[in-house]
Amino acid sequence: MGTVLTILIVVVAVVIVVYAIATYNGLVRRRNEVEEAYRQIDVQLKRRYDLIPNLLEGVKRYFRQEQDVLTEITRARSAAMQPHSPREQAQAEARLSGAIGNLFAVAENYPELRSERVLLDFQEELSSTENKISFARQHYNDSVQAYNTKIQSFPAVIFARAMGFTEREYFEAAGPERESVTVSYD
Amino acid sequence: MPAPAENVGTFRDRIAVNRRNSLLLILIFLAFVTVLGYVIGYAWVGDPAGAVFGLLLAFAAGTVSGLATYYAGDRMVLAASRAREITHDEAPVLFNVVEEMAIAAGLPMPKVYIIEDSAPNAFATGRDPEHAKIAVTRGLLEKLDRDELQGVVAHEMAHVGNYDIRYAMLVGILVGTTVLISDFFLRTLWFGRGQRRGEGGGQIQLIMFLIALVLAVLAPLFARLLQLSISRQREYLADATAVSLTRNPKGLADALQKISSDREVLEVANRATAHLYIANPIKKFERRAKGLFSTHPPIEERIRILRAMETGGVPQQAP
């Protein structure tokens, strides 16, 4: 009887240890995914800052009368590059997007500029970079959601906090974000 | 605002269920090939040792063709489709869209290929996300707007992220192995069925022989039907995943509508590569798309489901 009980206790202990290791590794993986997703946002923001000087260089000669538009972009860019809290960052990015949008709106008044290859290419690159920023944020939020759900679910919730896993915050967008849609076949 | 939890949850559940079904199908398939190898081996040699020999032969055939497909399958497919790798500057919009979808999916940037053909279509290949390749026809680039192109690329990225390509390869190998073993057995019939050993063994051998005969005739057919049913099911999942990446069902729905109404024929596609594409490139098969032998689900049904997502509604009919 004693041996059976001992074997039973050992088996239960082994199962718990194996489960704890698997849970811990799973949580570490998801937390790393969240951090990786967050870095992606910065990568894309930086790429946008790098693109802007080239854009300004390309349109400068057409924009003699529109100096304000160009200076506003430069100012918004350097403001956005300062370190911020996430909320301020979102506002600074929105201001920069607005300034760039303004440039393309003004460019509509210059027929010779509108068809300029340089401008069209930049328009694609900048709007794509904006997409990349928003997709990087979307992916970050998705990763945070998966991670938070994981550490709040039973039975991981029992260990998660003790193992040092805490909930992450979502990236709240400043402007109107794409509507989410119901994806369900049931 | 982040997506409401229950929507994403439902979607993630859908992927989880699909993964489980996939695993189950692979296990059934493996058991099936094993039984086939065993029964044929028994019928052929006449004792359990022969059965084990048949089983090992089945595994060897599967492993060899499996490894070849795993490591060289993507290159063979790209070469057969006459796809050429491009850089950012050759097609900036396509390249950017692929990068956007890779970021949305949190996957590494795949290599981008172009097929010089005016029929609009696309496919993805590569054994895992690190080796992923996305190929798009010239016709797709010219006929689709940016949102539609994004929908198609998202669908292909979904195949990459869901490991559909590896899965399809695996199923293809299992089907190929089944056909190979069955064919091998049926051919050897012409040369007698091996030597008999004793009378008792002979009776079991005869029974095994009959089972093997039935299996060898039916197995390739069932294997092929199973493969096609998996292929169709995967398309629905990729459409749903694509929407979770773009958050814009309209782009993919419009793209599918344009692709399906296009009259041009994709010359480089053949029956071996047809199942890879986002829409069946072989038009004459599209008519019987609801049939058992189709590689793709009916495109109208896919569009209907996507349109329902646009309005946030839930389709009445499960695929």
Side-chain angles (χ1 to χ4, degrees):
Chain A
M1 213 43 193
T3 8
V4 174
L5 199 64
T6 315
I7 291 171
L8 203 70
I9 289 168
V10 169
V11 166
V12 169
V14 166
V15 166
I16 289 174
V17 167
V18 167
Y19 173 76
I21 292 171
T23 306
Y24 182 79
N25 289 344
L27 289 176
V28 167
R29 187 173 58 80
R30 280 184 196 274
R31 188 172 62 187
N32 287 342
E33 276 170 17
V34 168
E35 265 149 32
E36 168 63 27
Y38 195 77
R39 272 196 295 279
Q40 262 304 315
I41 302 175
D42 283 341
V43 169
Q44 298 310 324
L45 287 176
K46 170 131 197 336
R47 176 140 71 179
R48 183 154 78 146
Y49 304 144
D50 294 345
L51 272 170
I52 289 167
N54 292 325
L55 169 72
L56 295 185
E57 195 56 41
V59 297
K60 193 163 67 181
R61 61 198 173 93
Y62 296 97
F63 268 66
R64 293 237 168 72
Q65 290 106 55
E66 317 276 353
Q67 272 304 320
D68 309 351
V69 180
L70 301 187
T71 28
E72 170 55 14
I73 293 179
T74 314
R75 212 176 290 146
R77 173 177 176 268
S78 47
M81 286 169 80
Q82 303 296 321
H84 289 295
S85 74
R87 180 176 296 276
E88 289 166 351
Q89 182 73 52
Q91 281 162 358
E93 291 301 328
R95 186 180 155 205
L96 181 57
S97 297
I100 294 167
N102 207 14
L103 183 144
F104 287 115
V106 171
E108 290 293 304
N109 303 330
Y110 297 79
E112 76 276 26
L113 179 58
R114 220 165 38 208
S115 58
E116 185 86 349
R117 193 74 236 159
V118 180
L119 192 74
L120 291 175
D121 287 350
F122 273 118
Q123 196 149 18
E124 164 60 23
E125 290 312 310
L126 276 170
S127 65
S128 176
T129 313
E130 301 232 353
N131 284 349
K132 283 166 192 162
I133 293 167
S134 97
F135 282 126
R137 282 174 182 161
Q138 178 185 307
H139 177 61
Y140 170 76
N141 281 340
D142 286 353
S143 307
V144 169
Q145 204 221 356
Y147 170 76
N148 285 351
T149 306
K150 189 80 190 166
I151 64 174
Q152 288 162 1
S153 306
F154 184 82
V157 69
I158 303 169
F159 309 92
R161 226 164 272 278
M163 285 169 168
F165 294 96
T166 48
E167 279 87 354
R168 290 300 169 96
E169 259 181 59
Y170 289 106
F171 196 104
E172 302 280 350
E177 203 171 323
R178 288 152 195 268
E179 279 288 298
S180 69
V181 288
T182 309
V183 183
S184 168
Y185 284 140
D186 305 311
Chain B
M1 240 175 50
E6 64 273 18
N7 289 352
V8 179
T10 315
F11 172 69
R12 283 184 200 277
D13 292 349
R14 179 78 200 168
I15 290 187
V17 167
N18 205 287
R19 289 229 168 103
R20 204 163 55 231
N21 290 347
S22 303
L23 191 67
L24 200 68
L25 279 169
I26 288 184
L27 290 177
I28 292 170
F29 229 137
L30 277 174
F32 187 63
V33 171
T34 311
V35 169
L36 188 67
Y38 188 88
V39 171
I40 288 176
Y42 204 115
W44 206 31
V45 180
D47 58 29
V52 173
F53 174 73
L55 198 151
L56 289 177
L57 203 69
F59 262 101
T63 311
V64 170
S65 58
L67 288 175
T69 313
Y70 191 77
Y71 288 106
D74 55 349
R75 265 168 282 159
M76 294 189 309
V77 163
L78 288 165
S81 314
R82 278 179 247 135
R84 177 175 61 85
E85 194 182 345
I86 57 155
T87 57
H88 176 279
D89 292 341
E90 276 178 86
V93 175
L94 172 63
F95 211 87
N96 282 338
V97 166
V98 172
E99 205 177 350
E100 285 164 25
M101 289 303 100
I103 289 167
L107 294 171
M109 174 75 182
K111 287 182 175 165
V112 187
Y113 286 74
I114 198 149
I115 299 167
E116 298 296 344
D117 194 301
S118 49
N121 226 319
F123 71 83
T125 185
R127 61 182 179 272
D128 54 34
E130 281 73 36
H131 296 87
K133 286 110 180 164
I134 289 182
V136 163
T137 63
R138 176 71 62 191
L140 193 85
L141 278 187
E142 282 166 1
K143 288 168 185 170
L144 265 50
D145 70 25
R146 205 177 193 285
D147 278 359
E148 293 160 356
L149 185 65
Q150 197 178 48
V152 170
V153 170
H155 173 100
E156 298 309 332
M157 200 63 75
H159 279 315
V160 172
N162 294 341
Y163 281 83
D164 285 346
I165 307 158
R166 174 185 287 189
Y167 184 77
M169 270 183 187
L170 190 64
V171 173
I173 292 158
L174 289 167
V175 171
T177 311
T178 311
V179 172
L180 199 73
I181 299 167
S182 302
D183 216 41
F184 183 65
F185 176 73
L186 292 174
R187 272 165 208 276
T188 54
L189 280 184
W190 301 108
F191 307 105
R193 49 187 137 107
Q195 64 272 67
R196 286 168 180 254
R197 303 193 177 170
E199 282 306 302
Q203 209 167 12
I204 302 173
Q205 190 180 2
L206 190 70
I207 295 165
M208 285 297 196
F209 178 79
L210 289 174
I211 297 173
L213 188 65
V214 173
L215 278 182
V217 172
L218 293 182
L221 185 70
F222 280 126
R224 182 87 183 119
L225 287 179
L226 193 55
Q227 180 186 25
L228 292 171
S229 117
I230 292 165
S231 169
R232 290 193 296 267
Q233 179 201 348
R234 300 254 122 191
E235 293 303 315
Y236 285 118
L237 178 67
D239 285 348
T241 312
V243 172
S244 87
L245 297 180
T246 61
R247 308 268 153 107
N248 172 21
K250 189 176 182 297
L252 182 54
D254 289 351
L256 287 177
Q257 209 134 43
K258 270 192 194 174
I259 293 169
S260 66
S261 61
D262 198 274
R263 288 290 115 213
E264 288 198 58
V265 174
L266 186 59
E267 270 108 32
V268 291
N270 56 44
R271 288 187 63 183
T273 56
H275 68 281
L276 292 170
Y277 290 89
I278 185 165
N280 195 338
I282 304 170
K283 298 285 178 192
K284 64 182 171 186
F285 289 139
E286 193 70 35
R287 242 179 292 128
R288 51 176 208 202
K290 281 202 162 95
L292 285 170
F293 288 94
S294 176
T295 56
H296 286 70
I299 207 158
E300 301 78 26
E301 180 66 10
R302 291 168 68 189
I303 294 171
R304 193 184 69 79
I305 291 171
L306 288 165
R307 295 279 183 230
M309 288 180 197
E310 269 180 59
T311 51
V314 178
Q316 309 92 23
Q317 225 181 301

